[in-house]
């Protein structure tokens, strides 16, 4: 594991803007107005575009938007309608982003590659800057991909939109044009689509497009690939890594109702549990569960099972509300939802955590409850194999949830802070084994990802930490834009090394 040390100054000189090396982050972000103007120009270009290829006359003297498209004009498989679509969904960053600087470019052949690493977003969503329509961290990342001092002459970047095509034939045609364009010209794609921005059908189409890109063009690097997101982000990843140093050994997963019924009555008889649905967010469907009579716990796992009328105390992590139900009522709610047999639930959720199949995310993970969760979680923020910072998420007094929604306080630490030296040491030892444990041996770690750890004590009373969750689905750096440089360098390394 490599460590990234930040001097704490977000005005640190990290960008090159309009050819002026050493420009500050503020100057980079000052280009927002210019980008908004470019987007308006792109929309005008789309409206004026003709469907007749014979009238296409893009030249190297055109704007930066047109300069990249000069190459597609020479490729007969791209109609002017395709080029108009690419214009409409593409935001250039600055002149250094143009990958072709020659007055007589050779016409590329189908399958040719250039050193081009664009950002892929989806329009809409709450993560966008109204001035640009893009995520606030996309522009700095794209800028840095193209403007690294030792790479900017051989790399280019831009920002593209994947459109919601679930019920829009024009959007589907446009996304097909985007697929063909990326397949021919991109060396890698940095995916920045927040979960929930697209409809479920469009998200499936995007995942399919990204998967097809790697199949039809094996040299292209998708950062992060949907398959990696699925395997790493699913709750059963905690079962797959339970034998690593930071894994909790008595962790189980249930994919169907019979295994859940059989396993839970045994696990809750041993110790308090945390039962997590695979879907949902902000702690919805994550339950901290204890026996109401805590004298009933058995000494060893598997020594006993509880009856269905055993009383439980349950706390849901999204808002820390407390409920009292029997084992039978909890099983009924988790499997069938709000039925007469489930009793009355105050949760805003609907239960039914095992609806569907494994591919749709139907599963429940059952872990031993760690009492020191009251001290919060420690998030390790990662860029590839580099630990860039740690965030201690401390719950609101009297609660257990470490989400911002529940009132938790967040404090950042550098990777070399002695407060978490034992965590970093253990985590570093396990890091090379994570992808193999998850069934992805030989695959790189995600470009941007996090691991959340929970405190515990070892037999000598020293701090030890167990992983509670991985996340590699559009992890943001909006509050840490100084990291855009290391993200860009890591993306380039993933594509070219």
């Amino acid at each position: 594991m490599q460590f990234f040390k930040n001097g704490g100054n977000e005005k640190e000189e990290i960008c090159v803007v309009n050819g002026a090396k050493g420009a500050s982050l503020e100057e980079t972000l000052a280009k927002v107005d210019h980008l908004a103007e470019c987007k308006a120009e792109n929309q005008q270009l789309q409206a004026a575009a003709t469907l007749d290829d014979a009238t296409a006359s893009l030249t190297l003297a055109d704007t930066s938007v047109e300069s990249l498209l000069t190459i597609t004009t020479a490729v007969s498989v791209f109609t002017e309608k395709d080029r108009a679509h690419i214009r409409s969904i593409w935001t250039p960053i600055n002149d250094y982003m143009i990958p072709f600087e020659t007055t007589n470019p050779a016409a590329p052949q189908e399958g040719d590659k250039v050193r081009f690493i664009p950002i892929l977003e989806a329009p809409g969503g709450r993560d966008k800057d109204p001035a640009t329509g893009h995520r606030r961290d996309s522009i700095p990342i794209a800028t840095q991909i193209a403007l690294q001092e030792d790479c900017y002459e051989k790399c280019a970047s831009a920002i593209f939109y994947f459109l919601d095509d679930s019920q829009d034939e024009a959007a589907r045609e446009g996304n097909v044009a985007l697929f063909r364009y990326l397949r021919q010209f991109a060396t890698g794609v940095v995916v920045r689509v927040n979960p929930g921005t697209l409809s479920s059908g469009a998200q499936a189409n995007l995942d399919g497009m990204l998967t097809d890109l790697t199949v039809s063009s094996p040299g292209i690097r998708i950062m992060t690939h949907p398959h990696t997101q699925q395997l790493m982000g699913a709750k059963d990843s905690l079962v797959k890594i339970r034998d690593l140093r930071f894994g909790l050994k008595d962790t189980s997963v249930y994919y169907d109702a019979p295994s859940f019924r059989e396993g839970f009555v045994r696990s809750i008889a041993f110790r308090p549990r945390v039962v997590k649905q695979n879907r949902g967010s902000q702690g919805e469907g994550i339950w901290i569960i204890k026996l109401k009579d805590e004298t009933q716990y058995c000494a060893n796992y598997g020594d006993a099972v509880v009856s269905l009328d055993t009383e439980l105390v349950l706390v849901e992590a999204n808002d820390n509300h407390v409920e009292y139900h029997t084992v039978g009522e909890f099983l009924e709610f988790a499997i069938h939802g709000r039925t007469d047999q489930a009793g009355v639930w105050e949760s805003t959720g609907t239960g039914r955590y095992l609806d569907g199949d494994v591919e749709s995310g139907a599963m429940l993970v059952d872990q031993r409850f760690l009492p020191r969760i009251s001290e919060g979680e420690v998030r390790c923020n990662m860029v590839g194999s580099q630990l860039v910072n740690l965030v201690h998420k401390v719950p609101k007094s009297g609660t257990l949830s470490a989400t911002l929604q529940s009132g938790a306080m967040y404090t950042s630490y550098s990777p070399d802070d002695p407060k978490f030296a034992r965590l970093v040491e253990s985590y570093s030892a396990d890091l090379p084994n994570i992808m193999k444990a998850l069934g992805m041996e030989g695959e790189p770690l995600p470009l941007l990802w996090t691991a959340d750890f929970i405190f515990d004590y070892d037999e000598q009373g020293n701090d030890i930490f167990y992983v509670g969750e991985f996340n590699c689905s559009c992890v943001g750096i909006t509050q840490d834009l100084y990291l855009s440089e290391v993200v860009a360098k890591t993306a380039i390394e993933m594509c070219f090394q």
Side-chain angles (χ1 to χ4, degrees):
M1 181 193 298
Q2 294 176 296
F3 298 156
F4 180 83
K5 297 184 179 180
N6 166 37
N9 182 5
E10 293 194 2
K11 297 180 181 179
E12 174 184 11
E13 295 182 353
I14 62 170
C15 297
V16 180
V17 181
N18 289 334
K21 296 184 179 180
S24 69
L25 179 60
E26 290 178 345
E27 291 175 287
T28 299
L29 299 182
K31 292 178 67 63
V32 161
D33 290 339
H34 171 66
L35 291 170
E37 293 171 2
C38 287
K39 290 180 69 64
E41 180 184 353
N42 291 351
Q43 293 167 357
Q44 293 170 1
L45 285 169
Q46 181 188 29
T50 175
L51 299 182
D52 184 358
D53 278 341
T55 64
S57 59
L58 304 178
T59 69
L60 286 172
D62 288 326
T63 66
S64 58
V65 176
E66 300 287 19
S67 297
L68 183 57
L69 294 174
T70 301
I71 298 301
T72 63
T73 307
V75 183
S76 60
V77 296
F78 290 95
T79 67
E80 179 58 25
K81 185 176 181 181
D82 293 335
R83 293 192 289 272
H85 176 76
I86 297 299
R87 294 186 191 100
S88 71
I89 62 169
W90 175 33
T91 297
I93 303 301
N94 57 37
D95 289 344
Y96 282 93
M97 299 289 174
I98 304 171
F100 310 105
E101 293 289 354
T102 172
T103 58
N104 186 25
Q109 303 300 312
E110 183 71 22
D112 279 359
K113 286 289 184 293
V114 296
R115 297 183 182 276
F116 181 48
I117 307 174
I119 309 292
L120 184 60
E121 294 188 334
R126 293 180 295 177
D127 59 342
K128 303 299 192 300
D129 182 345
T132 65
H134 295 301
R135 289 176 55 91
R136 289 176 172 84
D137 52 11
S138 290
I139 294 170
I141 293 172
T143 300
Q144 285 298 313
I145 287 174
L147 301 181
Q148 291 305 305
E149 184 173 348
D150 57 345
C151 296
Y152 73 89
E153 292 182 351
K154 64 178 182 179
C155 284
S157 189
I159 305 176
F160 289 96
Y161 280 147
F162 182 91
L163 301 180
D164 195 319
D165 58 2
S166 55
Q167 298 181 351
D168 188 330
E169 182 62 31
R172 278 194 288 271
E173 292 178 358
N175 287 340
V176 169
L178 174 64
F179 166 77
R180 288 159 46 208
Y181 188 84
L182 294 175
R183 182 181 63 186
Q184 177 147 347
F185 297 112
T187 309
V189 179
V190 178
V191 184
R192 308 296 292 153
V193 179
N194 212 33
T197 301
L198 293 169
S199 65
S200 58
Q203 183 65 55
N205 291 341
L206 170 60
D207 292 346
M209 183 192 83
L210 295 172
T211 300
D212 288 346
L213 278 174
T214 58
V215 173
S216 62
S217 185
I220 196 169
R221 175 70 68 188
I222 305 299
M223 300 167 284
T224 294
H225 196 285
H227 182 62
T228 301
Q229 292 187 42
Q230 180 182 20
L231 291 183
M232 200 167 195
K235 294 294 190 291
D236 62 354
S237 63
L238 303 177
V239 179
K240 297 174 183 177
I241 57 89
R242 63 186 174 187
D243 293 324
L244 299 183
R245 291 176 59 175
F246 55 59
L248 200 56
K249 293 191 181 300
D250 59 326
T251 301
S252 301
V253 61
Y254 312 119
Y255 298 110
D256 53 47
S259 64
F260 178 40
R261 293 181 184 277
E262 179 182 355
F264 181 71
V265 295
R266 179 176 290 105
S267 66
I268 192 62
F270 172 53
R271 290 290 183 274
R273 312 301 296 179
V274 178
V275 176
K276 309 177 183 183
Q277 72 153 322
N278 189 47
R279 297 170 287 221
S281 62
Q282 289 292 313
E284 189 268 319
I286 297 178
W287 294 96
I288 300 165
I289 307 172
K290 299 181 180 181
L291 296 180
K292 188 173 182 180
D293 182 359
E294 297 193 58
T295 65
Q296 293 184 7
Y297 290 120
C298 61
N300 301 296
Y301 182 81
D303 282 354
V305 296
V306 298
S307 63
L308 295 181
D309 60 359
T310 300
E311 294 180 309
L312 302 174
V313 180
L314 306 97
V315 178
E316 192 170 16
N318 64 330
D319 58 8
N320 296 296
H321 81 278
V322 181
E323 304 210 22
Y324 301 90
H325 295 279
T326 65
V327 169
E329 288 173 339
F330 173 63
L331 292 172
E332 178 70 12
F333 177 75
I335 296 169
H336 298 298
R338 298 178 185 274
T339 67
D340 291 341
Q341 292 75 27
V344 178
W345 287 75
E346 298 177 19
S347 172
T348 58
T350 59
R352 303 174 64 114
Y353 303 131
L354 294 174
D355 276 8
D357 51 24
V358 176
E359 286 70 24
S360 64
M363 69 179 73
L364 282 166
V365 167
D366 180 354
Q367 281 190 306
R368 174 164 41 94
F369 173 69
L370 299 174
R372 293 186 68 191
I373 188 65
S374 61
E375 299 175 38
E377 299 175 351
V378 181
R379 170 162 293 178
C380 290
N381 288 310
M382 305 292 298
V383 180
S385 62
Q386 300 177 70
L387 175 61
V388 293
N389 61 39
L390 302 97
V391 179
H392 188 190
K393 305 186 292 181
V394 181
K396 184 179 178 181
S397 178
T399 69
L400 297 176
S401 175
T403 65
L404 287 172
Q405 179 183 357
S406 64
M409 297 293 293
Y410 287 17
T411 304
S412 295
Y413 295 86
S414 65
D416 56 359
D417 194 296
K419 182 178 178 69
F420 296 113
R422 290 179 63 86
L423 167 58
V424 172
E425 178 185 5
S426 174
Y427 186 35
S428 300
D430 271 345
L431 194 61
N433 304 314
I434 290 178
M435 298 304 280
K436 180 179 180 181
L438 294 174
M440 295 182 283
E441 186 174 9
E443 291 297 311
L445 290 162
L447 177 61
L448 280 161
W449 60 290
T450 64
D452 290 348
F453 289 85
I454 303 170
F455 291 84
D456 200 7
Y457 290 116
D458 64 15
E459 295 178 354
Q460 290 74 41
N462 298 313
D463 286 344
I464 55 174
F465 298 84
Y466 293 109
V467 70
E469 184 177 43
F470 294 116
N471 178 29
C472 59
S473 297
C474 200
V475 174
I477 60 168
T478 300
Q479 303 303 317
D480 301 296
L481 291 178
Y482 64 88
L483 292 175
S484 57
E485 182 176 18
V486 71
V487 172
K489 287 181 177 179
T490 303
I492 291 170
E493 290 171 359
M494 286 182 172
C495 291
F496 299 133
Q497 293 184 1

